[in-house]
Amino acid sequence: MKSKRMGRSNFKLIAQYDARRNEYSVWKHNLTEAQALEAVAEHSARAFAIFIIDQKQKHKAKEVDVCKACRADVEREAQLQPQPKFKKKTKARKKTR
Ligand SMILES: [Zn+2]
């Protein structure tokens, strides 16, 4: 997941990619590199396919679920084909499948 990084900010966001469903969700944004690494370590026990994305700039939205900048950054940096769908990370996981 390397790409040319032009004028990146110091902010990072963390996303989780579900390859089976081709979906991703953003966990946190506006993190420093240290915070991002910490958050990844914190979640690594139960998580998979976590990645840290460089943000182009600081995002204005407070909640990642409504943050369009997160999606733009993930889609730009991740360069996954076909493009994964964004999935809200909200806890309302009532899917009985
Ligand atoms: Zn964001």
Side-chain angles (χ1 to χ4, degrees):
M1 208 173 294
K2 293 248 162 83
S3 60
K4 287 206 175 139
R5 288 168 175 164
M6 296 161 69
R8 63 178 167 150
S9 70
N10 291 319
F11 294 106
K12 315 272 183 196
L13 68 85
I14 299 177
Q16 179 178 24
Y17 175 59
D18 183 338
R20 282 183 308 175
R21 294 187 175 134
N22 198 39
E23 287 175 346
Y24 70 92
S25 44
V26 175
W27 284 5
K28 292 180 177 181
H29 65 178
N30 297 336
L31 302 174
T32 64
E33 184 158 21
Q35 286 173 322
L37 293 172
E38 214 173 90
V40 167
E42 189 183 305
H43 289 288
S44 59
R46 64 180 177 90
F48 59 99
I50 302 294
F51 49 99
I52 298 175
I53 302 272
D54 290 321
Q55 295 180 205
K56 212 170 167 187
Q57 60 196 20
K58 186 167 184 183
H59 299 171
K60 287 181 188 134
K62 252 191 225 163
E63 295 294 326
V64 289
D65 283 347
V66 299
C67 186
K68 288 187 183 129
C70 279
R71 287 169 238 185
D73 278 339
V74 171
E75 282 160 23
R76 190 193 62 247
E77 290 283 332
Q79 296 175 345
L80 293 162
Q81 289 298 335
Q83 194 138 95
K85 284 174 290 185
F86 174 75
K87 196 176 129 229
K88 291 186 181 183
K89 78 167 172 61
T90 19
K91 297 130 205 168
R93 259 194 204 166
K94 286 191 178 171
K95 273 186 195 164
T96 39
R97 257 184 283 166

